[in-house]
Amino acid sequence: MFSMLAAGAAGLVAAPYVQGGWEKILGTVSQNDPTGLTGLLPNPGGFRYFSVAGSVPRKNDTNYRLTVDGLVERPATYTLDDLRAMPQRRVVGDVECTDGWRVPRTPFDGVPLSHLLEPAGVRPEGKAIRFTCFDGVYSESLTLAQARRPDVLIALRMLDEPMRHEHGGPVRLYVAPMYFYKSAKWLSGITVTDTVVPGYWEEYGYDVDGWLDDADASV
Ligand SMILES: Nc1nc2c(c(=O)[nH]1)N[C@H]1C(S)=C(S)[C@@H](COP(=O)(O)O)O[C@H]1N2
Ligand SMILES: [Mo]
């Protein structure tokens, strides 16, 4: 069943390995968002949990690292404590992905991405950001101008609790004004590039500029 879902969802990937816990639950339910291979987990908040990887390692205070590199003067590596020690911002937005599922007014807290780009010193030829993930599969992109928006967060908290593994914890991207596929989970790399490198789903036709029609996030 799971392989059929995967093929139906995207027509391009082999059946992911399904392991225990929530991933096993997800393997038993249907889904219809073409940007996710895993589907609807019945839960009161209305959230769905997506991963294009069959299993994702867990990262914690000791082994989580976020690197900033590429076309910067000062590449850097951040631990969770480093990120927690930086000024935090709260962004509340409507979470929405491409099949219309939507969770309104969802709070995220974290470090504005711009606050990591500033100290790194983006070189003049740096025009875009490529985001990579410790699931080893997913990627995303933003232009430098988009990345510097105040409503783009390196999010450490969601729904007023530490970012859960299922939601991409300990650290995910949150791009409030765009469809949720732009918000890369399990974030591990921020690389400044000279051109936009289309992300995982964008290789299969999703808009690189995934603006929500009704973006109304408040910072
Ligand atoms: N690493 C990673 N990030 C990802 C995805 C993914 O499969 N892997 N799916 C994207 C899509 S299509 C959506 S809708 C959201 C889902 O986030 P959630 O699982 O917290 O609801 O994560 C986005 N970020
Ligand atoms: Mo999605």
Side-chain angles (χ1 to χ4, degrees):
M1 174 193 172
F2 206 80
S3 63
M4 287 180 59
L5 285 177
L12 47 97
V13 240
Y17 171 69
V18 179
Q19 62 170 23
W22 65 278
E23 287 158 333
K24 183 172 281 172
I25 297 169
L26 293 178
T28 66
V29 296
S30 66
Q31 62 86 43
N32 61 0
D33 185 338
T35 64
L37 297 185
T38 53
L40 177 64
L41 181 69
N43 78 314
F47 265 94
R48 299 179 186 188
Y49 305 114
F50 292 106
S51 175
V52 295
S55 79
V56 181
R58 287 175 185 262
K59 298 276 184 182
N60 54 34
D61 282 54
T62 16
N63 61 6
Y64 178 78
R65 295 290 183 280
L66 177 62
T67 59
V68 180
D69 60 14
L71 299 171
V72 295
E73 302 295 346
R74 291 167 294 277
T77 300
Y78 293 85
T79 65
L80 264 180
D81 277 342
D82 293 336
L83 294 170
R84 290 188 190 117
M86 298 176 73
Q88 308 288 303
R89 176 177 291 158
R90 186 177 181 87
V91 176
V92 181
D94 293 344
V95 163
E96 188 174 341
C97 203
T98 44
D99 76 340
W101 75 276
R102 192 165 185 269
V103 182
R105 312 300 297 162
T106 305
F108 291 81
D109 298 273
V111 181
L113 174 56
S114 63
H115 292 189
L116 298 189
L117 297 176
E118 278 160 26
V122 176
R123 293 195 203 147
E125 62 272 29
K127 300 291 183 226
I129 313 288
R130 175 169 169 80
F131 301 94
T132 48
C133 307
F134 64 79
D135 63 6
V137 183
Y138 207 74
S139 59
E140 256 305 336
S141 68
L142 290 173
T143 67
L144 195 56
Q146 292 164 355
R148 285 177 165 151
R149 289 176 56 108
D151 52 2
V152 175
L153 289 187
I154 304 302
L156 308 180
R157 297 173 63 80
M158 175 176 169
L159 297 164
D160 290 311
E161 62 175 27
M163 190 69 65
R164 291 165 53 189
H165 173 76
E166 293 84 346
H167 281 304
V171 178
R172 81 179 295 169
L173 186 65
Y174 178 52
V175 183
M178 296 193 183
Y179 283 104
F180 211 27
Y181 66 84
K182 299 295 297 186
S183 294
K185 300 163 69 166
W186 306 297
L187 184 66
S188 57
I190 297 171
T191 302
V192 179
T193 54
D194 60 358
T195 178
V196 169
V197 181
Y200 183 91
W201 284 115
E202 292 142 25
E203 292 284 356
Y204 301 105
Y206 281 81
D207 285 344
V208 172
D209 295 318
W211 299 110
L212 290 168
D213 295 335
D214 57 348
D216 69 342
S218 56
V219 178

